[in-house]
Amino acid sequence: MTRLDATTVASLGGQVATPGYDRSAVRPGIVHLGVGGFHRSHQAMYLDRLMRRGQALDWGICGVGVLPGDRRMREVLTAQDGLYTLVLAHPDGFLEGRVIGSIIEYLFAPDDPEAVLERMADPQIRIVSLTVTEGGYNVSPDSGQFDAEEPAVAADLQPGAVPHTVFGLVVEALARRRARGVPAFTVLSCDNVSGNGDVAAHSFTSFADLRDPELGRWVREHVSFPNSMVDRITPGTTDLHRAEVARRLGIEDGWPVIAEPWTQWVVEDRFSLGRPPLEDAGVQLVDDVAPYELMKLRLLNAGHQVLGYLGSLAGSTFIHDVCQDPVFRTFLLGYLADEATPTLQPVPGVDLPAYRADLISRFSNPHIRDTLARLCVESSERVPRFLLPVVRDRLAVGGEVTRAAVVVAGWARWADGVDDLGRPLEMVDPRADALRAAARRAREEPVAFLADRDLFGDLAEDGRFTAVYRQAYASLRDRGARATVQAVLDAALPTR
């Protein structure tokens, strides 16, 4: 077994694909904040793909850890000279290994914020990209406004403060570039957030306005915030993954990344200071990312929600187990085709029936081992963003909502904390206490779960939806998730 680093990578050619370019010739052009599994399976892979073609050697990535929990990533990537193994798990069990070399530097902001600031202020850096999670933009879910009172943000806004948040770091770097006459970089969000570039623009310009209104105006005028859509299922790395990489590929890698073969990246072509030739690596450069984003949110992301709660109630652990069950698979296909797809805009260049078929294949891949528990994390953020807009659009035109109503009823049952076999279900959610309380009230009055207007709006008052929801909830309690889904397929629940 070979320990992965710059001195050993050339010897791995027989087991995995390795960088064929001279990494010493790569210069940083991108700073990426929040280096996790997804960034390493996705954006860093696309840059590595270009570099293998002899392109983009001036677009190397400087990774930055912002949170204290990023320290271990710093330790692993530093020990491995920025290298790691990306392993694509094919449905037939084949593991396709590839060592990624596009991350050429890693800085840890809690230990040395000045080094991070000066790297972002460097004229070589033309893009600052982000994967800071869906909740990392500090926007109030109630008002939609940037939360200036969040303690870490408030601390960064104090005069002379050493910045620690992504907002403080990025805006201070922009302020230095402005003072030095260096053009502004592009801020590129790669998070799974609707209108992620617009959300990033709102957050960073709001922080800049609070710090200095003149700086805020400059940021608004000079910084581009393109929207993007990102897609690759990338479960968290476990010790089992590390052991499998060692056994199957002969590589000792402290933090490999396991991902599915499928990948998609759609980006609005709005960059303030240039960009690498991403189109040569398979990235779609478009004028408007909204149709692609809507497709992913309402098909893939909502599809995860369709299977997550019902599958968990039925006692499954992994998404592939649920999707391989013909009852749940047929139910999901019905949601995708009959409820979600009619709410989409035309998606240029995408065959939607083929895309839906690909989703079923992707969800059914047993070698990804993506857990239902992961899909159900922060359900109060995901269901309102992914599923409920489909419900509202369908209700507005008198369309079908049966399957979506069953999923919402399944969420209510899941939030009660036990599956159909009486085993406990863990909830990881900022609204966990409120959801548990609402689920308890739903035992006596099912529609009580829909009473939170911040989550559901006036959905509890829509008789078309609540008629199906009530019957689905009763069936879930009396007969369980699988029997309820079968009843839908047998048309034993109301269709309107």
Side-chain angles (χ1 to χ4, degrees), residues 195-211:
N196 56 14
D198 297 334
V199 172
H202 174 63
S203 294
F204 286 100
T205 56
S206 294
F207 184 95
D209 284 336
L210 290 164
R211 175 178 153 161

Side-chain angles (χ1 to χ4, degrees), residues 251-429:
I251 301 173
E252 182 183 343
D253 187 335
W255 209 324
V257 184
I258 311 299
E260 64 171 338
W262 170 281
T263 183
Q264 187 177 23
W265 191 8
V266 185
V267 187
E268 291 175 351
D269 200 358
R270 297 189 291 109
F271 291 79
S272 52
L273 201 55
R275 60 168 176 80
L278 296 171
E279 63 273 26
D280 291 345
V283 180
Q284 294 169 265
L285 279 300
V286 300
D287 293 330
D288 182 11
V289 80
Y292 302 89
E293 175 186 82
L294 195 67
M295 173 187 72
K296 177 174 180 272
L297 293 175
R298 297 192 177 187
L299 296 181
L300 184 144
N301 294 122
H304 275 161
Q305 301 304 288
V306 168
L307 296 182
Y309 310 105
L310 296 172
S312 295
L313 288 170
S316 292
T317 299
F318 298 103
I319 185 173
H320 67 262
D321 290 328
V322 187
C323 204
Q324 289 177 4
D325 184 319
V327 171
F328 286 101
R329 183 172 64 247
T330 304
F331 180 85
L332 173 60
L333 280 167
Y335 162 79
L336 295 174
D338 300 336
E339 299 186 23
T341 298
T343 72
L344 301 180
Q345 308 167 21
V347 188
V350 175
D351 180 332
L352 288 174
Y355 183 86
R356 296 195 299 263
D358 284 341
L359 285 182
I360 299 300
S361 176
R362 296 168 65 190
F363 291 175
S364 299
N365 186 339
H367 301 285
I368 296 297
R369 298 182 67 79
D370 202 9
T371 65
L372 297 174
R374 184 188 75 84
L375 307 184
C376 297
V377 166
E378 297 184 347
S379 61
S380 65
E381 296 284 340
R382 297 182 177 194
V383 175
R385 289 199 299 118
F386 303 152
L387 187 74
L388 296 186
V390 172
V391 172
R392 294 191 181 94
D393 282 4
R394 297 301 284 151
L395 288 172
V397 297
E400 177 70 54
V401 294
T402 297
R403 292 167 184 82
V406 171
V407 176
V408 176
W411 183 28
R413 276 283 297 118
W414 174 88
D416 209 4
V418 293
D419 69 13
D420 294 341
L421 300 176
R423 298 176 299 190
L425 292 167
E426 181 183 9
M427 181 186 296
V428 179
D429 196 287

Side-chain angles (χ1 to χ4, degrees), residues 52-393:
R52 290 170 193 245
R53 295 167 54 104
Q55 300 173 285
L57 297 180
D58 59 340
W59 289 99
I61 298 169
C62 170
V64 172
V66 178
L67 301 176
D70 295 328
R71 185 178 296 276
R72 183 164 179 272
M73 182 67 75
R74 190 272 303 271
E75 293 169 352
V76 170
L77 287 183
T78 299
Q80 296 181 180
D81 300 308
L83 298 166
Y84 61 92
T85 315
L86 171 60
V87 181
L88 305 186
H90 290 263
D92 62 2
F94 174 63
L95 296 185
E96 179 187 351
R98 169 179 173 180
V99 175
I100 303 296
S102 55
I103 298 177
I104 58 170
E105 183 179 24
Y106 190 95
L107 302 175
F108 187 56
D111 282 356
D112 194 351
E114 183 62 25
V116 174
L117 291 168
E118 280 303 299
R119 175 55 77 194
M120 287 194 288
D122 187 332
Q124 287 189 99
I125 300 302
R126 288 150 285 166
I127 295 173
V128 170
S129 54
L130 313 161
T131 44
V132 294
T133 77
E134 297 161 25
Y137 291 86
N138 195 45
V139 175
S140 167
D142 299 325
S143 68
Q145 297 304 305
F146 184 75
D147 183 5
E149 297 181 1
E150 196 279 326
V153 169
D156 272 8
L157 286 169
Q158 294 301 308
V162 176
H164 291 91
T165 67
V166 293
F167 313 105
L169 290 165
V170 170
V171 171
E172 171 60 21
L174 286 168
R176 293 184 184 190
R177 293 174 79 107
R178 176 179 175 237
R180 297 170 187 176
V182 177
F185 47 64
T186 294
V187 175
L188 176 61
S189 170
C190 300
D191 280 300
N192 186 34
V193 176
S194 180
N196 56 14
D198 297 334
V199 172
H202 174 63
S203 294
F204 286 100
T205 56
S206 294
F207 184 95
D209 284 336
L210 290 164
R211 175 178 153 161
D212 175 1
E214 279 296 322
L215 177 61
R217 280 189 284 274
W218 185 86
V219 169
R220 199 170 284 106
E221 181 179 349
H222 293 280
V223 180
S224 293
F225 294 89
N227 291 301
S228 70
M229 185 273 268
V230 295
D231 188 6
R232 172 168 261 177
I233 296 171
T234 307
T237 301
T238 67
D239 287 340
L240 287 175
H241 291 137
R242 293 182 182 89
E244 192 75 351
V245 169
R247 184 178 70 84
R248 299 272 295 272
L249 302 178
I251 301 173
E252 182 183 343
D253 187 335
W255 209 324
V257 184
I258 311 299
E260 64 171 338
W262 170 281
T263 183
Q264 187 177 23
W265 191 8
V266 185
V267 187
E268 291 175 351
D269 200 358
R270 297 189 291 109
F271 291 79
S272 52
L273 201 55
R275 60 168 176 80
L278 296 171
E279 63 273 26
D280 291 345
V283 180
Q284 294 169 265
L285 279 300
V286 300
D287 293 330
D288 182 11
V289 80
Y292 302 89
E293 175 186 82
L294 195 67
M295 173 187 72
K296 177 174 180 272
L297 293 175
R298 297 192 177 187
L299 296 181
L300 184 144
N301 294 122
H304 275 161
Q305 301 304 288
V306 168
L307 296 182
Y309 310 105
L310 296 172
S312 295
L313 288 170
S316 292
T317 299
F318 298 103
I319 185 173
H320 67 262
D321 290 328
V322 187
C323 204
Q324 289 177 4
D325 184 319
V327 171
F328 286 101
R329 183 172 64 247
T330 304
F331 180 85
L332 173 60
L333 280 167
Y335 162 79
L336 295 174
D338 300 336
E339 299 186 23
T341 298
T343 72
L344 301 180
Q345 308 167 21
V347 188
V350 175
D351 180 332
L352 288 174
Y355 183 86
R356 296 195 299 263
D358 284 341
L359 285 182
I360 299 300
S361 176
R362 296 168 65 190
F363 291 175
S364 299
N365 186 339
H367 301 285
I368 296 297
R369 298 182 67 79
D370 202 9
T371 65
L372 297 174
R374 184 188 75 84
L375 307 184
C376 297
V377 166
E378 297 184 347
S379 61
S380 65
E381 296 284 340
R382 297 182 177 194
V383 175
R385 289 199 299 118
F386 303 152
L387 187 74
L388 296 186
V390 172
V391 172
R392 294 191 181 94
D393 282 4

Side-chain angles (χ1 to χ4, degrees), residues 405-469:
V406 171
V407 176
V408 176
W411 183 28
R413 276 283 297 118
W414 174 88
D416 209 4
V418 293
D419 69 13
D420 294 341
L421 300 176
R423 298 176 299 190
L425 292 167
E426 181 183 9
M427 181 186 296
V428 179
D429 196 287
R431 292 178 178 248
D433 292 343
L435 289 173
R436 292 282 192 223
R440 288 193 294 270
R441 292 193 298 272
R443 299 172 192 170
E444 302 299 326
E445 175 45 57
V447 177
F449 188 75
L450 308 178
D452 187 335
R453 286 183 171 269
D454 289 338
L455 296 180
F456 295 102
D458 60 358
L459 200 57
E461 300 161 19
D462 192 301
R464 292 170 297 167
F465 182 82
T466 58
V468 187
Y469 170 86

